[in-house]
Amino acid sequence: MVEFFSLTIKPPKKSPLVLRMVVLLFAMVCGVYICSICMRQINARSNGRVLSVKVVERLCEVPEIQPSEKPYLHFPQPKTFARAECGCNPVQYFVILSTQRSGSGWFETMLNSHINITSNGEIFSNKVRRSNASSIVETLDKIYNLDWLTSASKNECTAAVGLKWMLNQGLMQHHVEIVEYFKSKGVSAIFLFRRNLLRRMISILANSYDQNAKPLNGTHKSHVHSPQEVLSFSISIFL
């Protein structure tokens, strides 16, 4: 009996090292490709223009008034405080133009007695504030933007704000710039002058005498108090 022996030859197994190298190479190629795409996107963002998004606030509605009065209504946005629920309450700007001893102090006191009216007094009695047109405009901007805080300043619901300005406090020297400012801002000018010039001169002399002599217990009286004083100072004018 003849026996046959068969020799089976199996193919050699693939080396795991080669397979690992192929996988590693593939991973490296994919990583380089992903990194290149990311770098392109970063460069595109850095080189691109930055878009500035402006927040548009809702404008306050002007109440039903005559068209001619609309330029005189304003909606200030103070930097020192928030107007809160009164932010859309319109505010009117005014200025009292006068001369010394003309009753402007009394008139301003009457205005400030109202809860929603603010008159800030003689702001430009300070020489630095009226030294040039730029400082005057800067001061006016603070006053009309409700950022000028004085003892007369009212709450956030102020309906009118202004000041008292004497003619000899830089007003005449820079009248061109000031008039243009008043026109552009819609400022109402109140001209207050004393009709009786003789009484004004008497008041000036009496105030000067009281300020220098201080006859009443060493204090200064701001105006003439009695008819006798008026008579004495009126006589001194004509002597």
Side-chain angles (χ1 to χ4, degrees):
M1 183 175 182
V2 180
E3 294 181 358
F4 295 94
F5 296 93
S6 60
L7 181 61
T8 305
I9 301 175
K10 295 182 179 180
K13 294 182 180 181
K14 294 182 178 181
S15 175
L17 181 61
V18 176
L19 183 60
R20 291 177 182 178
M21 292 297 295
V22 171
V23 174
L24 180 61
L25 182 61
F26 179 76
M28 291 177 62
V29 172
C30 292
V32 172
Y33 177 74
I34 294 174
C35 290
S36 63
I37 293 178
C38 293
M39 293 298 295
R40 290 177 184 177
Q41 292 180 351
I42 294 174
N43 292 333
R45 290 180 181 178
S46 60
N47 295 332
R49 295 182 179 179
V50 178
L51 298 178
S52 58
V53 179
K54 295 183 179 179
V55 179
V56 180
E57 298 182 356
R58 182 179 63 88
L59 298 178
C60 297
E61 297 180 359
V62 180
E64 296 182 359
I65 60 172
Q66 297 296 329
S68 59
E69 296 182 5
K70 288 185 179 181
Y72 300 99
L73 297 182
H74 311 275
F75 300 93
Q77 296 180 351
K79 298 179 181 178
T80 53
F81 68 97
R83 298 194 68 200
E85 69 275 6
C86 298
C88 285
N89 287 7
V91 179
Q92 293 188 356
Y93 301 159
F94 69 88
V95 59
I96 304 170
L97 305 179
S98 184
T99 56
Q100 284 79 4
R101 318 311 305 166
S102 297
S104 58
W106 169 83
F107 181 70
E108 189 177 42
T109 302
M110 295 295 292
L111 288 178
N112 280 322
S113 64
H114 194 283
I115 191 174
N116 293 120
I117 298 179
T118 299
S119 187
N120 293 285
E122 296 183 30
I123 300 297
F124 292 104
S125 59
N126 187 318
K127 294 182 179 180
V128 177
R129 297 171 189 158
R130 65 173 192 258
S131 58
N132 52 64
S134 299
S135 60
I136 291 176
V137 170
E138 182 180 356
T139 302
L140 291 174
D141 284 340
K142 290 182 179 179
I143 293 173
Y144 292 129
N145 199 46
L146 304 181
D147 281 321
W148 194 274
L149 302 179
T150 63
S151 58
S153 300
K154 300 298 193 305
N155 54 21
E156 61 271 9
C157 295
T158 295
V161 61
L163 69 153
K164 183 173 65 172
W165 202 344
M166 301 293 105
L167 297 183
N168 62 344
Q169 294 176 352
L171 185 63
M172 303 305 296
Q173 291 84 344
H174 306 282
H175 65 278
V176 176
E177 295 85 353
I178 295 171
V179 170
E180 290 297 326
Y181 181 89
F182 287 167
K183 288 182 178 180
S184 63
K185 295 292 185 178
V187 180
S188 299
I190 302 173
F191 293 89
L192 180 64
F193 298 102
R194 198 166 185 171
R195 290 185 177 180
N196 194 319
L197 298 180
L198 178 59
R199 289 186 177 181
R200 178 175 177 271
M201 292 302 300
I202 294 174
S203 180
I204 292 175
L205 292 175
N207 185 67
S208 177
Y209 172 77
D210 292 338
Q211 188 174 6
N212 296 326
K214 299 179 181 179
L216 185 61
N217 298 327
T219 59
H220 166 54
K221 297 181 292 182
S222 61
H223 55 82
V224 176
H225 286 267
S226 66
Q228 289 76 16
E229 288 177 303
V230 174
L231 180 61
S232 63
F233 281 108
S234 62
I235 292 174
S236 63
I237 291 177
F238 296 101
L239 292 180

